[in-house]
């Protein structure tokens, strides 16, 4: 009885790279590397387990069990997330029916201390600002110890707006980045807020205090005086905008020879005239014209 058979080499797994070295990674950050497994043998290999040692290491993208045909490969991602500073190591152990199972891939990485972020000055005081106007002041963000990535910055009040900085922004250790805050009061009175910068620094978030006082424009008035008119029982006061043609009476029956107009608007120019009214209620023609220009705050 003739017998025949052909010997076939068992499947074998080959890692690329043979070890994963993540280098220096700041505490709180992560670094990822791609690992590739290739079947270099003569038959298929079924991978059943991927066991990790080292709490700082993890893998993603490897669904088990999985079968790898001869000459084929698969890739997945390994991630190092240090929880403390210092060197750490681990092992990725691949269990399969390959001839070289289990396959071990050494893992290593060093956690480095997280940087700190400071904001200066600690308080921005805008002083007094007219309602509707605005005032801008500058500040600095400084990284110490290690580089810091600032992810966001926000104010908890719409009256204070952050500008002059692009986020996210990575600040090298010992370096500073400027920013601007603009205060636009919407009402009179003291306004306070907090400007908060979120980052990967160990002291995140960094907070700057903001304060300012909204003030109203000072009131304006026009004081008018004139010489008494013979036979006058009272006086009427007229006003128009300097660019207008017709006067409007703004007061009547004024018994004295002076009058104060408290209803003027900043930035406007006015013309005034007075008339004398006798006991029979007969009104004179307009007096000479008095002009008044109200200053702008």
């Amino acid at each position: 009885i003739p017998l025949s058979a052909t010997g076939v080499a068992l499947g074998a797994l080959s890692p690329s790279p043979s070890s994963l070295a993540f280098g220096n990674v700041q505490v709180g950050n992560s670094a990822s590397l791609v690992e590739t497994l290739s079947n270099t043998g003569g038959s298929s290999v079924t991978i059943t387990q991927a066991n990790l040692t080292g709490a700082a290491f993890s893998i993603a993208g490897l669904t088990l069990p999985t079968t790898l045909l001869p000459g084929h490969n698969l890739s997945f991602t390994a991630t190092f997330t240090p929880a403390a500073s210092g060197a750490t190591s681990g092992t990725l152990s691949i269990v399969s029916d390959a001839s070289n199972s289990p396959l071990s891939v050494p893992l290593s990485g060093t956690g480095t201390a997280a940087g700190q972020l400071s904001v200066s000055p600690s308080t921005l005081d805008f002083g007094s600002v007219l309602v509707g106007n605005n005032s801008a002041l500058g500040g600095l963000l400084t990284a110490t110890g290690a580089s810091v990535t600032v992810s966001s910055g926000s104010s908890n009040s719409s009256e204070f707006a952050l500008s002059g900085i692009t986020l996210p922004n990575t600040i090298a250790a010992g370096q500073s980045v400027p920013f601007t805050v603009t205060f636009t009061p919407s009402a009179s009175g003291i306004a306070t807020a907090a400007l908060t910068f979120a980052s990967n620094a160990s002291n995140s978030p960094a907070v700057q205090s903001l304060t300012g006082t909204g003030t109203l424009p000072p009131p304006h008035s026009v004081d008018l005086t004139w010489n008494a008119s013979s036979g006058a029982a009272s006086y009427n006061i007229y006003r128009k905008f300097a660019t207008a043609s017709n006067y409007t009476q703004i007061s009547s029956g004024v018994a004295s020879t002076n009058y104060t107009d408290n209803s003027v608007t900043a930035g406007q120019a006015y013309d005034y005239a007075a008339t004398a009214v006798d006991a029979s209620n007969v009104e004179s023609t307009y007096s000479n014209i008095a002009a008044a220009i109200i200053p702008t705050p």
Side-chain angles (χ1 to χ4, degrees):
I1 301 175
L3 303 173
S4 64
T6 301
V8 179
L10 291 174
L13 290 178
S14 175
S16 179
S18 58
S19 63
L20 293 175
F22 293 88
N24 294 329
V25 179
Q26 198 174 99
V27 172
N29 287 3
S30 296
S32 296
L33 295 174
V34 175
E35 178 67 30
T36 299
L37 298 176
S38 300
N39 183 356
T40 58
S43 61
S44 62
V45 170
T46 298
I47 302 171
T48 56
Q49 297 179 50
N51 301 317
L52 275 171
T53 62
F57 302 99
S58 62
I59 61 171
L62 180 60
T63 302
L64 300 178
T66 186
T67 298
L68 201 58
L69 297 176
H72 286 216
N73 55 63
L74 62 83
S75 297
F76 57 92
T77 301
T79 300
F80 174 51
T81 307
S85 56
T88 186
S89 61
T91 302
L92 172 61
S93 179
I94 305 295
V95 178
S96 68
D97 59 1
S99 60
N100 59 340
S101 179
L103 175 69
S104 293
V105 179
L107 310 173
S108 64
T110 300
T112 59
Q116 290 196 323
L117 182 70
S118 62
V119 55
S120 60
S122 58
T123 299
L124 283 180
D125 188 348
F126 292 85
S128 297
V129 179
L130 285 174
V131 172
N133 289 7
N134 61 68
S135 176
L137 293 176
L140 285 176
L141 290 173
T142 302
T144 56
S147 64
V148 172
T149 298
V150 183
S151 55
S152 65
S154 61
S155 163
N156 60 358
S157 169
S158 60
E159 293 182 302
F160 297 89
L162 173 66
S163 63
I165 185 172
T166 301
L167 298 176
N169 193 311
T170 298
I171 307 173
Q175 299 298 309
S176 298
V177 172
F179 62 90
T180 300
V181 179
T182 301
F183 173 46
T184 307
S186 59
S188 60
I190 297 175
T192 60
L195 180 61
T196 302
F197 292 96
S199 69
N200 63 347
S202 60
N203 62 332
S204 181
V207 180
Q208 183 181 58
S209 298
L210 308 173
T211 184
T213 302
T215 59
L216 295 174
H220 292 285
S221 63
V222 175
D223 294 324
L224 302 172
T225 60
W226 56 91
N227 295 325
S229 177
S230 177
S234 64
Y235 301 91
N236 295 335
I237 309 302
Y238 293 84
R239 185 185 74 184
K240 72 177 182 67
F241 290 111
T243 55
S245 301
N246 299 318
Y247 283 90
T248 300
Q249 187 182 87
I250 59 172
S251 186
S252 62
V254 178
S256 64
T257 57
N258 57 75
Y259 175 78
T260 299
D261 181 9
N262 293 310
S263 62
V264 293
T265 302
Q268 294 289 349
Y270 299 92
D271 291 336
Y272 292 87
T275 61
V277 181
D278 64 15
S280 300
N281 206 31
V282 176
E283 187 176 14
S284 71
T285 58
Y286 290 148
S287 68
N288 62 300
I289 305 305
I293 299 176
I294 311 304
T296 300

